[in-house]
Amino acid sequence: MKEATANKMNSEITVSGRTFIHQHAAHCESGVTAALFRDKGVKISEAMVFGVGSGMFFGHLPFIKWVGMPITTFRSRPRTLFPKVAKRLGGKFFTKEYRNAQKGMAALRNALSDGHIVGLTTNIYWLSYFPNRFRFQFNGHNIIALREIENGFRVSDPILDHPVDCSTEDLERARFARGPLEPKGFMYWVETVVENPDFRSACLAGMKESCYMMLKVPFPFIGIKGMRYLAKQIIKSPEKLGFPEACRRLANVVRMQEEVGTGGAGFRFMYAAFLQEAAELFGSDELAELSQEMTAIGDIWREFAVVSARVVKQRGQSEETFAKAGGLMLIPAGREEQLFKELYNLLRKLEK
Amino acid sequence: MEPDEIFRSIADVDGLKRGQYTPNNQGKYILDTNPSWPETVVNGLYVSDIRARIEEARRAVLAGQKSPLYYHMARRQMNTAILAKTVGMTVFRVKRHLRPEIFSKLKPSILDRYAHALVVSQEELKSV
């Protein structure tokens, strides 16, 4: 498997003459951030970025509707990962939003000719190099612009396994799309990095924030409380909303878990990969155990997805029910609560 | 066709694979590119949902209940709120333009704004 990924690596020459190696990633934002830091010579993996930037999250927001469905999210708010990672690794970085599309595109051209590779927030629907099944109105997709070419830009999209061309018109539409969570031409790059960044303190800061977000936010829709809330909603949903609508809602939750961002309970597995790396970094067996526990939790999430998919697909013909799906969600809720409590206690020990 | 079959058939055509982290035999995490079964089901459901919505919009237009703008909006997976922001009008005004009798009287300048927002020509915008 590893050889297969290595073969797929694609190198590109950037404006400044450096070689940029495109790597396939599981999640756009962490993939882009990792690639931007790698370009500056910091050896950092996608999972590490995800952990340091506190990407781990859960939230179910019933009062914010997105294409008619309540938002369920399995990761932190888009656009927060990059600044957090950059701050915690002690680098200097640039971020800016643009209101005017012409100015935004001109700024992108300037940045590219200055020799930066630039992270961009885009709307995934207008990026026509994607196949249709991926194209939906979602304003939080991240890509890297490498250099300008004739009638467009060479971009590295971490979801794809090779760099692609994107026309100027497409990119402009995608960067300045309107709607919920507008990208507003957001662009960012790393200016300078510290020679040997202190990964240990960065990891600790990242883990601490994740613990806080999962356990202690005094708000019933966020973290572990949010999981329990959503589980109850799922169990009640067929009576409350009627069967077809309940199915659509459940499918939406699974889609958010499986598709939007990563595949297959991906953020849990990615966090497990991060804990694994952190365990090596600190030489801590406790962290390694937590990583395994996180993998087990990810497996339950995947089982939840399978059961839900069966409920949705067979329209009540099978023995799988909403109650079972909701009940399955309570298990990872309990286990993640335990895990983050243990992690929180462990952090105090590691800080010494 | 069942939703997951639809999805598999499209996925076969475009051949694009997503990565996800899975532990290998030694328990070390690697990037895997095989889609999970629930992913294919819910995605298939979503894709067929969108297709159904577009088809429904097309029928509504042909039946004369809605203006062609309604179909093109559905085709771009937009709702009135997103479309209104994109063209820079109020939602109330966009909803009004979804009525066929009002849409047929629109000035070319207004049609042009819609055509630009939805990336269709003015002629296309008037037909389904």
Side-chain angles (χ1 to χ4, degrees):
Chain A
M1 186 65 79
K2 236 174 193 170
E3 284 78 22
T5 352
N7 287 339
K8 274 181 198 159
M9 274 184 202
N10 285 294
S11 51
E12 286 276 327
I13 307 292
T14 57
V15 183
S16 56
R18 275 198 306 273
T19 325
F20 173 84
I21 296 169
H22 177 89
Q23 276 187 14
H24 197 186
H27 171 46
C28 63
E29 203 170 1
S30 51
V32 163
T33 307
L36 289 179
F37 277 98
R38 269 200 302 266
D39 184 56
K40 294 283 175 192
V42 180
K43 279 192 185 126
I44 189 166
S45 70
E46 191 199 356
M48 192 55 130
V49 163
F50 187 71
V52 168
S54 310
M56 188 71 172
F57 188 65
F58 183 88
H60 176 70
L61 307 171
F63 43 85
I64 302 177
K65 293 278 164 66
W66 181 50
V67 280
M69 306 268 194
I71 289 185
T72 308
T73 171
F74 288 77
R75 55 100 181 256
S76 59
R77 199 159 56 86
R79 289 210 253 169
T80 55
L81 199 63
F82 173 75
K84 275 181 193 168
V85 174
K87 267 180 205 157
R88 284 170 191 165
L89 292 180
K92 282 214 174 87
F93 61 96
F94 173 94
T95 56
K96 196 165 182 184
E97 284 180 352
Y98 294 89
R99 196 174 280 181
N100 183 304
Q102 271 78 42
K103 275 186 192 162
M105 290 310 275
L108 172 63
R109 289 197 177 93
N110 281 340
L112 287 174
S113 59
D114 286 348
H116 296 288
I117 59 167
V118 184
L120 302 169
T121 305
T122 52
N123 177 314
I124 202 165
Y125 182 83
W126 296 111
L127 296 174
S128 57
Y129 57 78
F130 269 112
N132 267 330
R133 70 185 159 107
F134 277 110
R135 292 176 65 186
F136 58 103
Q137 294 282 349
F138 171 63
N139 282 331
H141 186 60
N142 290 275
I143 57 174
I144 302 177
L146 297 173
R147 59 190 152 85
E148 202 174 352
I149 52 169
E150 209 178 317
N151 304 326
F153 294 88
R154 189 78 177 156
V155 301
S156 153
D157 191 318
I159 298 291
L160 307 177
D161 51 10
H162 51 87
V164 284
D165 294 337
C166 180
S167 75
T168 312
E169 203 199 341
D170 277 353
L171 195 65
E172 188 175 326
R173 264 181 208 286
R175 287 183 68 202
F176 295 93
R178 305 299 305 268
L181 290 170
E182 288 172 12
K184 290 183 189 145
F186 188 65
M187 60 184 224
Y188 49 95
W189 65 78
V190 183
E191 275 178 347
T192 54
V193 285
V194 187
E195 193 94 342
N196 283 312
D198 185 0
F199 278 112
R200 290 171 71 112
S201 68
C203 281
L204 287 174
M207 289 193 275
K208 205 170 185 178
E209 195 188 333
S210 295
C211 288
Y212 175 79
M213 292 312 274
M214 294 305 283
L215 296 173
K216 300 196 171 168
V217 176
F219 198 55
F221 310 114
I222 305 276
I224 307 295
K225 292 184 198 120
M227 286 184 204
R228 299 216 163 105
Y229 172 78
L230 177 58
K232 274 183 218 153
Q233 294 293 312
I234 288 175
I235 294 168
K236 274 193 280 182
S237 64
E239 286 167 32
K240 219 170 143 190
L241 304 163
F243 197 80
E245 180 61 19
C247 273
R248 283 185 66 215
R249 291 274 171 99
L250 187 61
N252 192 46
V253 172
V254 178
R255 215 176 98 79
M256 290 286 187
Q257 180 190 328
E258 297 287 308
E259 175 71 11
V260 181
T262 70
F267 293 115
R268 267 60 195 161
F269 289 132
M270 211 198 288
Y271 206 72
F274 161 68
L275 289 174
Q276 202 173 54
E277 273 189 47
E280 278 170 29
L281 190 68
F282 287 94
S284 154
D285 291 338
E286 285 107 324
L287 276 177
E289 275 165 32
L290 289 181
S291 164
Q292 278 172 12
E293 171 67 7
M294 195 44 118
T295 307
I297 292 170
D299 287 336
I300 307 173
W301 277 111
R302 181 168 281 172
E303 198 185 327
F304 160 76
V306 171
V307 168
S308 308
R310 266 189 217 133
V311 173
V312 171
K313 190 171 174 234
Q314 285 161 7
R315 309 255 163 211
Q317 300 303 305
S318 73
E319 61 264 54
E320 314 285 16
T321 56
F322 281 90
K324 191 178 171 196
L328 254 178
M329 197 181 231
L330 288 172
I331 302 172
R335 284 176 76 168
E336 277 188 32
E337 186 175 24
Q338 190 60 32
L339 184 142
F340 280 104
K341 276 183 180 161
E342 277 171 30
L343 184 62
Y344 194 69
N345 292 332
L346 186 59
L347 287 181
R348 287 197 197 143
K349 234 164 73 184
L350 293 174
E351 270 170 2
K352 279 172 195 164
Chain B
M1 252 201 296
E2 289 290 314
D4 50 335
E5 283 166 24
I6 296 180
F7 180 74
R8 224 165 278 144
S9 63
I10 344 173
D12 281 346
V13 173
D14 61 47
L16 193 147
K17 284 185 173 165
R18 296 177 59 96
Q20 51 188 310
Y21 284 90
T22 21
N24 68 0
N25 306 335
Q26 286 96 44
K28 196 105 177 112
Y29 270 92
I30 49 154
L31 205 66
D32 184 20
T33 47
N34 294 317
S36 65
W37 180 77
E39 188 188 341
T40 55
V41 172
V42 288
N43 262 322
L45 197 79
Y46 186 74
V47 171
S48 57
D49 217 41
I50 287 174
R51 284 186 185 175
R53 223 176 296 158
I54 295 172
E55 180 55 27
E56 198 185 306
R58 201 179 67 90
R59 289 220 183 103
V61 175
L62 290 179
Q65 294 155 344
K66 296 274 184 189
S67 74
L69 183 62
Y70 184 69
Y71 166 76
H72 289 286
M73 185 175 83
R75 211 165 60 90
R76 292 293 180 202
Q77 298 178 30
M78 288 184 177
N79 56 20
T80 42
I82 299 179
L83 181 60
K85 271 191 167 175
T86 314
V87 291
M89 293 181 198
T90 58
V91 175
F92 167 77
R93 211 167 151 207
V94 171
K95 280 187 179 164
R96 208 164 157 270
H97 295 164
L98 296 181
R99 287 160 60 185
E101 69 275 20
I102 286 161
F103 182 80
S104 60
K105 282 185 242 159
L106 284 184
K107 283 187 289 190
S109 62
I110 300 281
L111 286 177
D112 198 51
R113 278 161 81 180
Y114 280 121
H116 184 71
L118 296 164
V119 202
V120 288
S121 67
Q122 277 207 26
E123 281 66 47
E124 279 176 301
L125 188 63
K126 285 179 198 161
S127 59
V128 290

